[in-house]
Amino acid sequence: MQDQFNRTINYIRISLTDRCNLHCSYCQPELAEFVPHGEILRYEELLRLCRIAVELGITRFKLTGGEPLLRKGALDFIRSLKQLEGVEQVTLTSNGILLKDAAHSLASIGIDAVNISLDTLNPQKYHDITGGNLDDALAGVQAALKAGLKVKLNCVPLKNYMKIDDILALMAYADTWGLPLRFIELMPLSCNTALVGYTGDEVRQMLEQLGMELVREKGSYGNGPAVYYRNNVFKVPVGFIEPLHHKFCGLCNRVRLTSVGFLKPCLYSDVGCDVKALLRQGATDAELKEAMQQAIYAKPREHDFNHRAAAFAMSRIGG
């Protein structure tokens, strides 16, 4: 379907859980306690909403968290979603820790791609950023590759922890395994105000100062807004996602469904339509469809990260 600014919305990010087995400094929850499990959308509720989303023209699904694989039954849900009529693509974003055990099952289900967060190859820095063990994350990457999964790497480059050597090491690792690597500009949230991220321009400038020639590509490697550059050092292109300094709101094709059932027309907006409340109040499919359609149509022209940090607290709009 189209929103009020005639953008075609065909992609939804669905958070399966707010829980995570890492505690990354740039996206840690604002609250120390997780929401009670009963407040999380049940799988049957999620599938019902996905069916309605398909009717609205949303055919591409990205499953996120927290860490989506941490939720019990996630693989069965992914299988059911892949089999849902009208679904064209199901992808997953993961920190990689649980992929060592899940990669083979994901391959057998037919998951279309997996994005793995990998912010540094320095074990101590990795622990400082995420609280986790780098070897576990790298084992997940290798398990995904061995299973034949299509993999991309995501990095949020932080001045608090990283230098150009960290960026080059990630690029070399990605090149060794033939994996697209995307540098994602730090999105200001009320929980990460102590962090300072590199902009895409700063990363590119550092690379060019080392003699790397960057040539922008016209193509893409998925549904996202990443802009890719070829270079004269590595075979694999490097991508940049820059929501602040190179806004792509005019081309945005996505909405977000949180784990507690808010449909948010902008990924990091603090407003949304409470579809869980409608579900549990006995709304019909037609009523749910209308509420979702209204929320998607009301998608704002652009985000306002440039003026204020986003929060995860929800305000209601629509239903």
Side-chain angles (χ1 to χ4, degrees):
M1 65 168 287
Q2 290 187 317
D3 68 6
Q4 62 181 320
F5 300 106
N6 297 316
R7 293 171 295 196
T8 298
I9 310 302
N10 61 5
Y11 182 107
I12 187 169
R13 295 176 64 98
I14 298 176
S15 176
L16 294 187
T17 178
D18 66 323
R19 299 170 190 256
C20 193
N21 47 357
L22 295 181
H23 192 66
C24 297
S25 57
Y26 49 80
C27 70
Q28 59 186 336
E30 296 170 6
L31 301 176
E33 297 181 1
F34 296 112
V35 298
H37 186 71
E39 296 300 316
I40 301 295
L41 285 174
R42 298 186 290 269
Y43 285 134
E44 60 269 24
E45 293 173 325
L46 281 170
L47 283 173
R48 185 181 175 194
L49 293 173
C50 290
R51 290 190 189 96
I52 295 171
V54 171
E55 293 177 9
L56 291 171
I58 296 174
T59 59
R60 302 174 184 182
F61 296 79
K62 169 78 74 180
L63 303 179
T64 71
E67 169 52 48
L69 295 176
L70 198 62
R71 181 169 175 181
K72 185 178 180 180
L75 293 174
D76 290 333
F77 170 75
I78 296 171
R79 181 179 291 105
S80 297
L81 180 56
K82 277 289 296 181
Q83 295 172 349
L84 193 63
E85 184 176 356
V87 171
E88 295 179 356
Q89 187 181 85
V90 179
T91 59
L92 181 79
T93 292
S94 173
N95 58 39
I97 303 298
L98 300 177
L99 280 174
K100 184 177 179 180
D101 296 322
H104 180 75
S105 295
L106 287 169
S108 66
I109 290 169
I111 194 86
D112 292 282
V114 177
N115 295 349
I116 302 175
S117 299
L118 187 64
D119 296 309
T120 178
L121 291 174
N122 180 297
Q124 184 58 54
K125 290 181 180 179
Y126 183 87
H127 179 76
D128 292 343
I129 295 170
T130 71
N133 186 301
L134 176 63
D135 287 341
D136 293 336
L138 294 179
V141 174
Q142 294 304 310
L145 292 174
K146 186 177 180 180
L149 297 178
K150 183 178 180 181
V151 174
K152 289 182 287 190
L153 300 179
N154 291 339
C155 168
V156 179
L158 300 172
K159 293 183 179 180
N160 307 63
Y161 301 100
M162 300 172 65
K163 304 296 183 184
I164 186 61
D165 289 347
D166 297 284
I167 290 171
L168 289 172
L170 280 170
M171 292 178 69
Y173 178 83
D175 193 66
T176 296
W177 298 103
L179 304 176
L181 168 67
R182 293 97 59 79
F183 291 108
I184 303 175
E185 188 174 36
L186 177 69
M187 290 179 255
L189 304 175
S190 53
C191 61
N192 66 20
T193 55
L195 298 179
V196 180
Y198 288 102
T199 67
D201 287 334
E202 288 174 328
V203 174
R204 289 188 292 271
Q205 185 178 34
M206 289 190 295
L207 295 174
E208 289 171 342
Q209 288 174 346
L210 293 175
M212 192 174 293
E213 299 174 5
L214 299 174
V215 179
R216 181 167 172 171
E217 281 200 332
K218 294 182 179 180
S220 63
Y221 292 81
N223 299 307
V227 174
Y228 286 89
Y229 290 78
R230 290 279 177 183
N231 62 79
N232 59 332
V233 178
F234 301 113
K235 300 183 295 297
V236 176
V238 60
F240 294 87
I241 299 176
E242 305 168 75
L244 285 177
H245 292 86
H246 293 278
K247 292 176 76 169
F248 42 82
C249 298
L251 300 175
C252 185
N253 65 339
R254 60 197 59 198
V255 292
R256 178 190 293 273
L257 180 63
T258 72
S259 61
V260 293
F262 275 87
L263 179 63
K264 302 200 295 180
C266 176
L267 297 193
Y268 280 86
S269 172
D270 54 4
V271 297
C273 173
D274 190 352
V275 291
K276 182 184 70 180
L278 294 175
L279 280 164
R280 297 185 181 180
Q281 290 167 6
T284 65
D285 283 0
E287 290 169 336
L288 287 167
K289 185 176 181 179
E290 181 180 1
M292 292 170 67
Q293 190 169 20
Q294 290 178 356
I296 295 169
Y297 182 80
K299 183 178 173 67
R301 182 185 295 274
E302 59 186 15
H303 68 70
D304 59 356
F305 286 161
N306 304 73
H307 307 293
R308 67 183 182 91
F312 288 115
M314 292 286 103
S315 300
R316 295 188 184 186
I317 62 173

